[in-house]
Amino acid sequence: MRPFIFLRVFRINQCLMLVSLLALLLGGAYYPYAVAARERGAVQAMSWSVAGKVIMVDPGHGGIDPGAVSRTGVLEKDINLQIAQRLAAMFRQAGASAVLTRDGDYDLADREHLPGLTNRDELQARLGLADKHHADIFISIHLNSYPSADCEGAQVFYHPRSVESFRLAALVQQELIAVLGDQYRWAKGADFFVLRDVKRPAIVVEAGFLSHPREGILLTEPAYQNKVAWCVYAGVVHFFAGQPAPKSPY
Ligand SMILES: [Zn+2]
C-alpha cells in the first residue's frame, strides 16, 4: 500500500504544482506582468519625464456622495479611491509629487454638515486644491454606469477647448486599449465641470462600467485596478515625454 499512497501523494503534489504554475501564468496577466515586458521597459525608461511634476489625482465622489452604485452594492467612490491611491503610488515611485484631492471617504465641501453647499461647490474645492498645489495636470478617476448592462470599456474625457488635454486623454486611452484590450472607445470631448478649468491639462478617466456584470466585478479586483492605474501612469509618462496625440484605431 505504501508505494501506492506515495504515488498518489506524488500525483497530488504534481497537480498542485501544475495549479500553482497555471495561477502564476494567469496571475502574470496582471500588473506588473500585465504589460508586455518591452512596453513596460519603454515606459520605465521614460519615467524621468514625470520626475518633479505635480500631479493632482482626484478620486471622484466621496462622503455623502457615493457616485454610481452597482447591483451588488459596490460604491463608485470606494473603487475610485482605490485606483487613485494605486496611481499616486506609481507616480511617487517615479519621482513625481502626486497629490490626492481626498485620501479617505469624505466630501470636500463637507455637505453633510453644510447642506447649503452644492455639487459645484464640492468640485470647485477639488480644483482649488490643484491651484493650491500648482499642479501640472489634473486627473479625475470615475466609473461609468448605464441602465443597459451591455455597456463596457474604459474611456477618457477632455475639454475640447484644450489641445493639451486632448493629447493627454488620447495617450491614456491608447494605453487602456493596449493593456485592457479593445475598448471600442476613444478619447472624447466633454463639458464636465472639472474639465472646464483649462489652466492645466485635465482629464476624467471613466475606468469602466460598474453596471456591467463582468467589468463591474473586475473593477473591484486589486490586480485589475493596478492595470487601469498603470495605463493612466504610462499615458502621463508619454505625455510629459512630449509624444504627439495618437490617432483613434476605431
Ligand atoms: Zn463618477
Side-chain angles (χ1 to χ4, degrees):
M1 286 298 281
R2 278 205 168 167
F4 182 64
I5 290 170
F6 173 76
L7 203 67
R8 277 177 64 180
V9 169
F10 181 70
R11 275 194 185 148
I12 288 166
N13 279 343
Q14 267 191 325
C15 283
L16 284 174
M17 268 176 67
L18 198 68
V19 168
S20 307
L21 197 68
L22 270 171
L24 203 70
L25 284 170
L26 290 172
Y30 295 119
Y31 174 85
Y33 309 101
V35 189
R38 202 196 306 163
E39 166 69 356
R40 260 187 292 142
V43 171
Q44 295 306 59
M46 240 188 271
S47 64
W48 53 266
S49 73
V50 296
K53 300 292 181 195
V54 180
I55 297 163
M56 208 72 205
V57 182
D58 174 46
H61 313 281
I64 58 163
D65 172 13
V69 182
S70 82
R71 265 165 294 183
T72 57
V74 176
L75 307 179
E76 181 196 343
K77 64 175 182 179
D78 295 335
I79 310 292
N80 291 344
L81 180 60
Q82 288 159 12
I83 294 174
Q85 284 171 329
R86 294 176 193 283
L87 177 60
M90 289 177 194
F91 282 131
R92 285 172 192 147
Q93 209 168 24
S97 169
V99 186
L100 288 159
T101 52
R102 66 174 175 98
D103 57 6
D105 181 19
Y106 52 85
D107 175 345
L108 268 78
D110 195 18
R111 282 177 292 173
E112 197 177 352
H113 302 104
L114 303 166
L117 292 179
T118 62
N119 193 32
R120 182 174 282 220
D121 293 323
E122 208 270 344
L123 294 174
Q124 192 60 57
R126 292 170 190 252
L127 296 177
L129 277 176
D131 284 341
K132 184 183 154 198
H133 289 277
H134 305 286
D136 291 298
I137 58 170
F138 184 89
I139 301 170
S140 196
I141 306 290
H142 282 259
L143 303 182
N144 228 328
S145 184
Y146 199 68
S148 158
D150 299 340
C151 285
E152 63 177 318
Q155 191 160 30
V156 188
F157 294 85
Y158 62 93
H159 201 285
R161 252 199 341 240
S162 168
V163 175
E164 280 296 83
S165 293
F166 165 67
R167 186 168 73 85
L168 175 59
L171 286 165
V172 171
Q173 185 79 60
Q174 178 174 249
E175 296 299 326
L176 289 164
I177 293 168
V179 174
L180 303 181
D182 267 334
Q183 304 284 294
Y184 303 104
R185 294 178 182 279
W186 187 243
K188 195 175 176 184
D191 189 29
F192 296 157
F193 186 77
V194 292
L195 297 178
R196 281 183 207 157
D197 178 30
V198 291
K199 271 177 263 172
R200 59 185 64 80
I203 54 171
V204 169
V205 179
E206 297 273 4
F209 281 76
L210 203 51
S211 46
H212 187 272
R214 185 186 53 86
E215 199 170 58
I217 291 168
L218 279 176
L219 286 162
T220 65
E221 294 174 0
Y224 193 80
Q225 293 178 357
N226 270 334
K227 277 170 101 170
V228 170
W230 196 90
C231 292
V232 180
Y233 167 74
V236 171
V237 165
H238 285 127
F239 174 80
F240 282 120
Q243 289 206 354
K247 287 199 169 71
S248 168
Y250 307 118

